Amino acid sequence: RTIKDVKKIVTDCVIISMALMLAGVACFELIPTQLLGVFSNSEEVFSIGAVAFRIIGLSFIPAVLSLMTPVFFQAIGEALPSSLLSLTRQIFCLIPIFWLLSRVGLNYTWFAFPLSEIITGSIGWVMYLHQLCKWKV
């Protein structure tokens, strides 16, 4: 494969993934209680979970980049950037943000998910663009 092919594959994967994630966003935004009903019938779970699902659903679109970029780097044999992005998403962003927002209140903690995805996705996208520059694409 040529570098041009790789860039096209990444672009196509991002577009397809975003379309699928939009379906997830729609479900989390429009029918959170029904989704929660699969796991519980508790009113307390519904009241906490509906808020959580609607906020967490916001993370699905930026999650595309934070999930795709580590896979891209792994695919081209760059284990270090791939590992760093995965660690950034789960350890360096999500846990500290979750902890900080938990100090404010339960409903705020859910924002750790979209924030972590936005941060990691942005870093990953910059790293991807840097890789393209290294390849002179």
Side-chain angles (χ1 to χ4, degrees), residues 6-103:
V6 171
K7 187 177 174 187
K8 170 100 171 81
I9 290 167
V10 169
T11 302
D12 290 349
C13 287
V14 167
I15 291 168
I16 291 166
S17 297
M18 290 229 183
L20 292 171
M21 288 298 213
L22 277 172
V25 170
C27 290
F28 269 50
E29 295 299 322
L30 300 174
I31 56 167
T33 311
Q34 291 85 340
L35 293 172
L36 288 162
V38 172
F39 304 102
S40 174
N41 59 4
S42 163
E43 284 303 317
E44 186 176 15
V45 169
F46 291 161
S47 67
I48 293 170
V51 172
F53 271 31
R54 286 191 173 108
I55 295 169
I56 291 169
L58 300 173
S59 70
F60 289 5
I61 299 300
V64 169
L65 294 179
S66 70
L67 293 169
M68 290 293 237
T69 51
V71 172
F72 164 77
F73 284 107
Q74 187 176 21
I76 64 167
E78 295 288 336
L80 184 61
S82 176
S83 297
L84 286 174
L85 285 167
S86 295
L87 286 170
T88 298
R89 181 175 178 258
Q90 294 295 321
I91 306 299
F92 305 137
C93 282
L94 185 61
I95 292 171
I97 295 170
F98 200 82
W99 180 80
L100 282 171
L101 293 175
S102 74
R103 313 301 265 167

Side-chain angles (χ1 to χ4, degrees), residues 115-127:
L115 289 172
S116 177
E117 301 297 1
I118 289 167
I119 292 165
T120 307
S122 298
I123 293 168
W125 192 248
V126 168
M127 291 171 70

